Amino acid sequence: MANPEQKPIILVIGAGAGIGGHVARRFADGGYHAVLARRSDEEGLQRLVTQIEEAGGSASGTLLNASEDGSIEDLVERVERDIGPIDTALYNLGAQIGNRTLNDTPHRTFELGWRLGCYGVFRLAHALFPAMVERGKGTLLVTSATAAVRGNAGQHSHAAAMGGRRMLCQTLNAEYAPQGVHVAHVVVDGSVDAPDTLGKLLGDRFEAYKASKGEDGVIDPAALAETYWHLAQQPRNCWTHELDLRPFTDTPWWNDNPDPKINTAGQRPPAEQED
């Protein structure tokens, strides 16, 4: 986990082949040393590190079970001690445990969603922000989802965790922005071409699903990574705290399942239009 050139560091927690891996690659292309952390698949992790290095970047990887007490804290301490100051951190772990009815959601399963979706962000901020405040700068990027702003049936654990994540980011921003720490909450309101997440969820239906969405109907994680890069480079007189992204064909979360009486192809039915 060396960083001999003392490049600025991005720590990516949740470094899969989708958003996390592409963000790490984008920051490495921009001159950062990327520290990639993921729960399992050491071979896949090393593949991401190798791809960054072969492209001329600098990276290292480590396995991390973020639900274990002390794991995130130990990782932050090791990176700060052995590699260098963390300039930017990306919390990219989801809280998706699948659609479950209330009766099919055991207490432990509900709590796991909260631990990954909300508590993990708290622990990362708790471990990292004091050093960022001392340095007078730093960025925390948090990947979020539609569930952070809209609860749907079968999403009890996910919606509770992601809604908590959003409010936690707001409180962190309110406390730490004046101290130089930029907190950005990114609502990904659409499907992402991510083989480690959506790909595993859909299995052999993944390619057919992407085809059904049409050209540019699924979010390209490389394009999404450009947004994360932009957020981390914003001057402090123009910080974005929250934004949402989706493919151009998707209906935004706030207008999903519209009432046809007031939204037919984006307009009221002719008989009800105003003069």
Side-chain angles (χ1 to χ4, degrees):
M1 298 178 73
N3 179 22
E5 299 179 44
Q6 290 302 301
K7 295 180 176 181
I9 293 167
I10 179 170
L11 170 62
V12 179
I13 296 179
I19 297 173
H22 281 83
V23 169
R25 186 178 307 174
R26 177 63 183 89
F27 276 73
D29 289 344
Y32 282 64
H33 176 88
V35 179
L36 291 77
R38 61 189 292 175
R39 183 179 61 85
S40 60
D41 188 8
E42 189 168 8
E43 182 179 344
L45 176 65
Q46 186 55 48
R47 186 161 52 247
L48 290 173
V49 171
T50 300
Q51 288 171 354
I52 290 172
E53 292 176 338
E54 289 179 346
S58 174
S60 51
T62 184
L63 295 180
L64 170 76
N65 183 351
S67 65
E68 287 185 355
D69 290 338
S71 59
I72 293 174
E73 295 81 357
D74 288 346
L75 175 59
V76 169
E77 182 182 2
R78 283 191 289 116
V79 172
E80 291 264 334
R81 181 188 67 229
D82 299 339
I83 305 179
I86 298 170
D87 175 85
T88 301
L90 167 60
Y91 193 88
N92 189 56
L93 291 180
Q96 182 59 265
I97 60 169
N99 286 328
R100 293 171 176 264
T101 65
L102 181 63
N103 289 337
D104 191 34
T105 307
H107 292 185
R108 288 175 58 188
T109 301
F110 182 91
E111 183 182 13
L112 177 61
W114 170 77
R115 281 186 169 275
L116 293 173
C118 186
Y119 188 40
V121 177
F122 170 82
R123 290 169 53 203
L124 176 59
H126 200 269
L128 182 58
F129 279 15
M132 285 185 167
V133 168
E134 185 175 346
R135 293 189 285 264
K137 64 176 183 176
T139 301
L140 173 62
L141 306 171
V142 180
T143 303
S144 198
T146 311
V149 287
R150 176 176 181 145
N152 290 313
Q155 291 285 299
H156 310 294
S157 175
H158 189 219
M162 301 306 278
R165 173 182 288 191
R166 185 185 187 216
M167 292 298 100
L168 175 59
C169 286
Q170 287 192 12
T171 65
L172 291 172
N173 179 68
E175 182 174 351
Y176 284 94
Q179 301 181 70
V181 180
H182 183 192
V183 180
H185 179 257
V186 183
V187 179
V188 181
D189 185 33
S191 303
V192 179
D193 188 358
D196 287 345
T197 50
L198 186 60
K200 288 183 178 180
L201 181 66
L202 295 179
D204 57 10
R205 296 173 293 156
F206 186 40
E207 294 302 322
Y209 172 78
K210 290 192 293 182
S212 73
K213 300 289 282 185
E215 185 178 1
D216 292 329
V218 176
I219 295 172
D220 177 1
L224 187 56
E226 292 294 337
T227 295
Y228 286 80
W229 171 258
H230 166 70
L231 290 169
Q233 307 309 312
Q234 287 180 321
R236 65 181 184 176
N237 63 16
C238 191
W239 274 352
T240 297
H241 167 62
E242 181 173 83
L243 55 76
D244 53 287
L245 308 100
R246 67 193 61 81
F248 76 109
T249 53
D250 277 13
T251 303
W253 65 265
W254 63 82
N255 201 31
D256 198 11
N257 298 320
D259 185 344
K261 292 181 180 179
I262 60 172
N263 192 328
T264 300
Q267 298 180 349
R268 298 183 184 182
E272 299 184 15
Q273 289 185 7
E274 295 178 347
D275 294 333

